[in-house]
Amino acid sequence: MEFKDRLKELRKENDFSQTDIAKRLCLSKMAISHWECGDSEPSIAQLKTLAALFDVSVDYLIGYID
């Protein structure tokens, strides 16, 4: 599974909106939308924050492991 799909899946499972995620990372909602569409990708620091938020590993988040 690609990062964009994993992010969207985790966000929905945790009942977060794109705005909720954006606020937690001090980003715009549009940035999260671009990630979920595959138009851009987060930095390593942002990946670490997302992994902590969803209580998963970065490897899981980027689709390296299931």
Side-chain angles (χ1 to χ4, degrees):
M1 184 179 285
E2 293 183 46
F3 166 74
K4 64 182 186 137
D5 302 315
R6 183 76 32 99
L7 174 61
K8 190 172 189 176
E9 177 182 85
L10 287 168
R11 180 177 61 77
K12 288 183 176 187
E13 284 177 3
N14 288 276
D15 294 323
F16 289 133
S17 67
Q18 289 180 344
T19 302
D20 295 331
I21 303 296
K23 285 181 181 177
R24 291 174 185 258
L25 278 83
C26 299
L27 297 169
S28 68
K29 176 188 172 291
M30 189 59 69
I32 307 306
S33 176
H34 283 286
W35 293 350
E36 288 187 1
C37 291
D39 295 334
S40 65
E41 296 178 340
S43 68
I44 292 173
Q46 291 165 332
L47 282 172
K48 288 179 180 179
T49 303
L50 286 169
L53 175 64
F54 294 121
D55 195 27
V56 297
S57 70
V58 171
D59 284 346
Y60 177 80
L61 192 59
I62 63 173
Y64 188 69
I65 61 172
D66 285 329

